[in-house]
Amino acid sequence: MQLRYAFRLYPDTAQRLALARAFGCARVVYNDAVRAREDARTAGLAFPTAGHLSKQLITQARQTPERSWLGEVSAVVLQQSLRDAETAYKNFFASLRGERRGAKSGAPRFKSRKDSRQSIRFTPNARWSITGSGRLNLPKIGAVQVKWSRTLPAQPSSVTVVKDAAGRYFASFVIDTDPAADAARMPGTDQRVGIDLGLTHFAVLSDGRVIDSPRFLRRAEKRLKKAQRELSRKQKGSRNREKARLKAARAHAKVADARREFHHQLSTRLIRDNQAIGVEDLAVKGLARTRLAKSVHDAGWAQFVHMLEYKAVRYGRTLVKIGRFEPTSQVCSACGAKDGPKPLHIREWTCAACGAVHDRDHNAAKNVKTAAGLAVTACGAQVRPGLVPAQRDEAGSHGIPSEPRTA
Ligand SMILES: [Zn+2]
């Protein structure tokens, strides 16, 4: 399977200017492509072909006074931008036809200079390279300094250069994993586990282990709250506001990094220790929840479950997502009796049928394990046979999962 590996870049002043120019040109070509499509739609005409757009919006546009500056950046970057626009439309139409899983994609929008994330992509034919001294050599930009936080396991075919809202630059490489090396790294095991993702604790496992967010993440979250408060107090359009915005963006990036790091470590550990993992389907979990839970939890859980998913595929594990109408917090995991709804503040309860005393989350995790068919009966048989190994998600390059930034 394919994975992304991201490394921090440190462009010098001239390179930052060249990158800004490349981001700008890629954006203009993208927007011109969206406009050409919109114009064709308004006029009731067929969409222009990719070849036509390439000729019109790059080759010919470079000859005009209004777009002559497109000649200052690598043509491959501009071609890639056209391809991205085309992919965005493909996804949009597939989504309209209901052929795409996951969130609905909206109609492609015009990109703005003010977008928090700017990016350009260099494909194999763009003649980019990694120099002998470990710099990333990009056409019409130069040899940029890279912080190699880990070794690249294989030769990458393409690289995306990203500038995030905090003003940081990254190079993101796509690499094919090595199945033999992966199998050696994580040998098979006979352990199975159910996971209950919760609000009180990040996760509780069916074996009773409780996992909370680490302190570095909670500290980063506190700093983010403070930065956001400061930002809201600053006058719109003032220079102090711009400073506060950047500070908040940096604090936000730190929280996102810390959370991703925590999710990576935990998901890798769970995948290493278990052959099969049961977890609730989040779309379902969301429906059953009160507004007590904030969207930040949903986003965090989704990222974590997505990591479990791709790592299960990568390391030959089984991930079972249990669906609707499995009232994991209402059923006694000892005798199966349904005890009725429990408000969130009830942390412990006693089963009226068998008298078992349950911790709410631990009981839920045990039920997840059983519902996922991972519980083993006294005679050693699975409660629900026929496990299907995790399926790889069909997605474009934007759907390629990312490895942790630091090993
Ligand atoms: Zn019971």
Side-chain angles (χ1 to χ4, degrees), residues 7 37 56 78 94 108 117 120 130 194 211 229 235 248 395:
F7 300 91
R37 286 241 187 189
Q56 187 195 353
L78 305 180
R117 188 179 178 278
I120 42 171
I130 296 165
I211 294 150
R229 265 201 311 274
Q235 187 103 45

Side-chain angles (χ1 to χ4, degrees), residues 38-296:
E38 290 299 307
D39 288 349
R41 194 175 59 88
T42 317
L45 300 170
F47 280 146
T49 63
H52 176 80
L53 285 181
S54 170
K55 208 178 338 160
Q56 187 195 353
L57 303 181
I58 300 174
T59 320
Q60 287 169 3
R62 279 173 153 183
Q63 317 296 325
T64 67
E66 303 83 49
R67 291 279 189 267
S68 61
W69 34 266
L70 288 178
E72 293 171 22
V73 309
S74 162
V76 179
V77 165
L78 305 180
Q79 297 286 0
Q80 194 54 52
S81 200
L82 280 185
R83 241 166 271 147
D84 289 345
E86 203 173 310
T87 306
Y89 273 101
K90 253 187 214 147
N91 290 345
F92 171 55
F93 292 128
S95 183
L96 282 183
R97 290 192 301 266
E99 290 166 6
R100 233 174 105 78
R101 294 206 291 151
K104 282 251 180 287
S105 13
R109 289 181 310 118
F110 290 113
K111 293 190 177 184
S112 159
R113 186 184 317 155
K114 289 182 176 158
D115 287 347
S116 57
R117 188 179 178 278
Q118 311 273 346
S119 72
I120 42 171
R121 197 130 47 101
F122 295 87
T123 44
N125 56 346
R127 288 198 298 276
W128 63 274
S129 62
I130 296 165
T131 68
S133 60
R135 283 176 177 251
L136 177 63
N137 199 15
L138 301 168
K140 301 210 177 183
I141 288 165
V144 184
Q145 194 194 331
V146 187
K147 188 183 171 198
W148 297 103
S149 44
R150 63 191 300 168
T151 46
L152 274 178
Q155 192 61 35
S157 53
S158 71
V159 59
T160 303
V161 176
V162 179
K163 186 186 179 198
D164 72 6
R168 304 176 304 176
Y169 295 83
F170 293 95
S172 169
F173 300 96
V174 175
I175 303 267
D176 286 305
T177 56
D178 174 0
D182 288 346
R185 192 175 159 210
M186 292 203 188
T189 153
D190 56 5
Q191 295 299 306
R192 295 137 175 253
V193 75
I195 308 173
D196 179 61
L197 296 171
L199 300 171
T200 323
H201 306 289
F202 179 76
V204 175
L205 309 185
S206 53
D207 61 14
R209 272 184 292 168
V210 173
I211 294 150
D212 287 310
S213 299
R215 201 188 311 152
F216 64 81
L217 175 53
R218 295 201 301 268
R219 268 207 305 258
E221 280 169 337
K222 223 178 253 174
R223 272 197 299 270
L224 172 59
K225 268 195 198 120
K226 190 166 163 257
Q228 277 170 339
R229 265 201 311 274
E230 278 167 19
L231 174 61
S232 69
R233 274 195 235 108
K234 297 282 186 275
Q235 187 103 45
K236 273 222 167 109
S238 71
R239 265 185 45 204
N240 277 335
R241 186 183 169 88
E242 178 52 25
K243 260 194 246 164
R245 188 202 62 79
L246 197 59
K247 197 176 162 191
R250 286 199 185 113
H252 194 272
K254 281 226 172 77
V255 167
D257 287 355
R259 189 179 292 133
R260 196 184 307 112
E261 177 66 19
F262 165 55
H263 290 164
H264 263 306
Q265 286 182 5
L266 180 59
S267 56
T268 296
R269 204 172 79 212
L270 288 166
I271 288 287
R272 175 183 298 125
D273 295 348
N274 296 283
Q275 193 61 38
I277 294 174
V279 68
E280 276 177 294
D281 191 327
L282 293 180
V284 165
K285 200 172 167 78
L287 291 175
R289 258 187 0 257
T290 63
R291 60 197 173 86
L292 242 177
K294 284 177 289 182
S295 60
V296 60

Side-chain angles (χ1 to χ4, degrees), residues 331-337 339 349-356 358:
V331 171
C332 169
S333 60
C335 74
D339 206 81
W349 55 282
T350 306
C351 174
C354 74
H358 294 298

